[in-house]
């Protein structure tokens, strides 16, 4: 039987662990889960804009995106790294 360390984790840490475990069970990479949340968050609608047909999105303000949005989802604010990840997944 494995020890239960969940009580030692903060609510935020537990939510992150639960989210990661949940997405891995479904086989969805974390980058794609975060990308979905980021691009569909109404708080970012001035920076991340969907095309009229909802088949693509673009970053309207790279500086604001790097400063305000990326660090909320990833451990960096490097736009070039974000674009490399997108390319790796075929975007």
């Amino acid at each position: 039987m494995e020890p239960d360390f969940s009580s030692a984790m903060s609510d935020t840490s537990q939510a992150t662990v639960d989210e990661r475990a949940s997405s891995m069970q479904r086989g969805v990479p974390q980058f794609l889960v975060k990308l979905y949340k980021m691009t569909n968050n109404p708080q970012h609608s001035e920076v991340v804009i969907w095309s009229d047909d909802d088949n693509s999105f673009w970053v309207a303000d790279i500086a604001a995106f790097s400063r305000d949005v990326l660090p909320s989802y990833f451990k960096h604010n490097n736009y070039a790294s974000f674009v490399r990840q997108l390319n790796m997944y075929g975007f």
Side-chain angles (χ1 to χ4, degrees), residues 22 34 56 65 76 80:
S22 178
K34 292 176 182 183
S56 61
F65 181 78
H76 67 82

Side-chain angles (χ1 to χ4, degrees), residues 9-71:
M9 295 182 194
S10 69
D11 291 342
T12 304
S13 297
Q14 185 60 43
T16 302
V17 168
D18 291 344
E19 179 181 301
R20 193 172 298 142
S22 178
S23 72
M24 284 194 290
Q25 289 171 349
R26 292 187 308 263
V28 179
Q30 273 298 295
F31 176 78
L32 297 179
V33 171
K34 292 176 182 183
L35 179 63
Y36 177 82
K37 289 179 180 182
M38 178 188 339
T39 57
N40 289 289
N41 186 334
Q43 292 178 328
H44 309 312
S45 63
E46 296 294 319
V47 179
V48 178
I49 300 173
W50 281 95
S51 64
D52 290 336
D53 62 5
D54 289 333
N55 284 328
S56 61
F57 70 90
W58 69 91
V59 176
D61 184 345
I62 293 172
F65 181 78
S66 297
R67 181 187 62 240
D68 303 328
V69 179
L70 280 179

